Amino acid sequence: MSPRSIVTGLDIRACADRIESLQQRDGAIPWVETGVWDPWNHGESAMGLAVAGRVEGVHLALDALAARQEADGGWTGELGAGIPMDESGERIAPPPVPVTARDTNFAGYAAVTVMRCALALDEPRLIARYFPMVARALDFVMNLQTRHGDVVWRAPDIGQPLEDVDALRAGNSSLFKSFECGLRMAEILEKPRTDWARSRAAIARALTAMPERFDRKGIDRSSYAMDWYYPVLAGVLTGADAKARLDEGWDTFVVADLGCRCVTGEPWVTAAETAELALACLSAGRRDDARTLVNELAPLAAPDGGYWMGWQYEIGDVWPKERPSWTAGAVILAADALDALSPGSDLLIRHARADAWLERALKPAQKFE
């Protein structure tokens, strides 16, 4: 693998160095020097290391993920929304008592993490080694799926009904991809999981036919870019539907020559959202737009490695003054998908149909009809 992406000129080595500089002895990868950990962003960082060929760092990260998994298959992770800034307003200052949740999307992403790392390192034994962790994680998710097909965003509090917890469009879209990766691993290991296939198909039905199942608790998240592009990025929407979805929100979220805004109404483009939007564009066949988006990240490349979280374009400065591990990971993954830097570089931009494994499950029975 070249340390520099030919398409984007992006320095993969410097991004991986930034991630490794944050990795702790036990393999955990926090957001920044002051801490903050969750399994989703940990996984994003681990995949970035895998693309960069950092074998030892990947192994440590996967072991740390497995070690922190809880008995029912979930993880407790810190929530970005609960993290304050320091007195300067420019650096992350985690609170003494972190705001945490047992997030379903955090859990399911372990499947994507393991699959992408195994492919990038060309190390199939990782699939067998970590499949039990992935299976427990996806079972945890499946147990928090409502009868309508949507998965609630977190494990309910003790005694709280499942319906009292909201479902998120971006999170469910990500879980659609997570179940795909889990099903791919199960197929490789000849351990079919038709129940996962049914859950994945039900998520797709909910996302495409039951919009009322999302943001049903009074919080409208449509102003967030992730709600817009994630159904495309994760393969819930494909073909003409994917292109139409991107067209629908493009002028709202994309700032010419800067990248993708995190949220409407804020003059702030973020590196991670821009990188993920590039992946969504590749999923929809809009390669030129993807290349443009990743190239627009160049001003956010930090001299000491990694990428600044975002750019506040009204004041003309980076904000906050942080270079998160997962931002570097997201940028690596986008460059990888553009430039085929490692084996399996198309995993995040090529998607199986919602009913793919259900059809396969029917084939043996059909032989006896």
Side-chain angles (χ1 to χ4, degrees):
M1 185 214 73
S2 169
R4 182 173 291 274
S5 165
I6 296 169
V7 171
T8 66
L10 187 149
D11 192 339
I12 302 301
R13 182 167 49 202
C15 286
D17 287 347
R18 172 58 180 163
I19 296 171
E20 284 193 324
S21 75
L22 292 167
Q23 190 169 31
Q24 299 172 348
R25 284 189 175 185
D26 68 351
I29 307 174
W31 287 23
V32 292
E33 287 84 353
T34 51
V36 187
W37 185 89
D38 70 74
W40 200 102
N41 289 299
H42 172 96
E44 190 86 343
S45 302
M47 290 188 287
L49 291 178
V51 170
R54 305 296 175 88
V55 178
E56 183 179 357
V58 173
H59 290 174
L60 285 171
L62 293 178
D63 284 345
L65 191 62
R68 293 188 177 204
Q69 188 176 36
E70 294 164 10
D72 63 356
W75 282 266
T76 298
E78 296 177 61
L79 298 178
I83 298 170
M85 306 302 292
D86 66 11
E87 292 180 359
S88 72
E90 295 186 339
R91 302 296 300 273
I92 289 174
V97 180
V99 179
T100 63
R102 307 186 69 246
D103 189 305
T104 51
N105 182 27
F106 284 1
Y109 207 56
V112 181
T113 298
V114 171
M115 189 69 183
R116 186 70 199 92
C117 289
L119 291 173
L121 296 179
D122 194 18
E123 197 173 344
R125 70 184 184 89
L126 296 179
I127 292 174
R129 179 174 179 176
Y130 294 105
F131 183 75
M133 173 185 73
V134 169
R136 288 191 297 270
L138 291 179
D139 287 347
F140 169 79
V141 171
M142 194 168 56
N143 287 334
L144 295 173
Q145 187 170 33
T146 77
R147 62 185 178 86
H148 303 283
D150 56 301
V151 178
V152 299
W153 79 268
R154 63 167 175 83
D157 298 329
I158 295 174
Q160 183 181 24
L162 196 63
E163 278 291 326
D164 280 1
V165 183
D166 210 347
L168 310 184
R169 185 172 288 103
N172 273 253
S173 297
S174 180
L175 286 169
F176 180 77
K177 187 65 178 182
S178 294
F179 273 112
E180 177 189 324
C181 289
L183 286 160
R184 288 185 184 279
M185 285 186 274
E187 191 171 53
I188 290 168
L189 297 172
E190 298 183 346
K191 296 180 179 180
R193 290 296 303 259
T194 307
D195 51 348
W196 291 353
R198 286 194 295 266
S199 286
R200 181 172 182 264
I203 289 172
R205 285 194 299 272
L207 284 165
T208 56
M210 292 179 277
E212 69 279 1
R213 293 301 303 168
F214 303 94
D215 295 349
R216 64 181 185 274
K217 296 299 179 181
I219 300 176
D220 180 8
R221 297 176 178 84
S222 62
S223 61
Y224 287 88
M226 292 176 66
D227 253 38
W228 162 54
Y229 63 70
Y230 243 93
V232 179
L233 168 58
V236 179
L237 299 178
T238 58
D241 290 337
K243 292 175 181 177
R245 177 79 176 183
L246 292 181
D247 287 341
E248 179 185 322
W250 195 266
D251 291 340
T252 300
F253 290 102
V254 178
V255 181
D257 301 321
L258 293 179
C260 181
R261 288 200 287 183
C262 177
V263 61
T264 60
E266 295 292 339
W268 187 45
V269 295
T270 50
E273 270 78 4
T274 300
E276 287 188 332
L277 178 56
L279 289 171
C281 287
L282 289 170
S283 294
R286 294 174 57 162
R287 184 174 178 81
D288 289 345
D289 286 331
R291 181 188 298 115
T292 297
L293 287 164
V294 175
N295 285 337
E296 287 172 350
L297 290 171
L300 288 176
D304 296 331
Y307 276 69
W308 298 112
M309 187 185 295
W311 178 263
Q312 218 284 3
Y313 54 84
E314 279 193 354
I315 63 175
D317 200 2
V318 296
W319 186 88
K321 298 294 194 301
E322 298 288 6
R323 298 172 291 143
S325 54
W326 44 267
T327 295
V331 175
I332 290 174
L333 293 173
D336 179 44
L338 268 172
D339 211 17
L341 300 176
S342 68
S345 59
D346 62 349
L347 178 69
L348 303 181
I349 60 173
R350 294 185 63 184
H351 314 287
R353 296 193 320 273
D355 60 355
W357 279 271
L358 290 175
E359 288 183 349
R360 295 176 204 181
L362 290 172
K363 286 182 180 178
Q366 290 171 346
K367 294 178 182 179
F368 298 98
E369 289 179 356

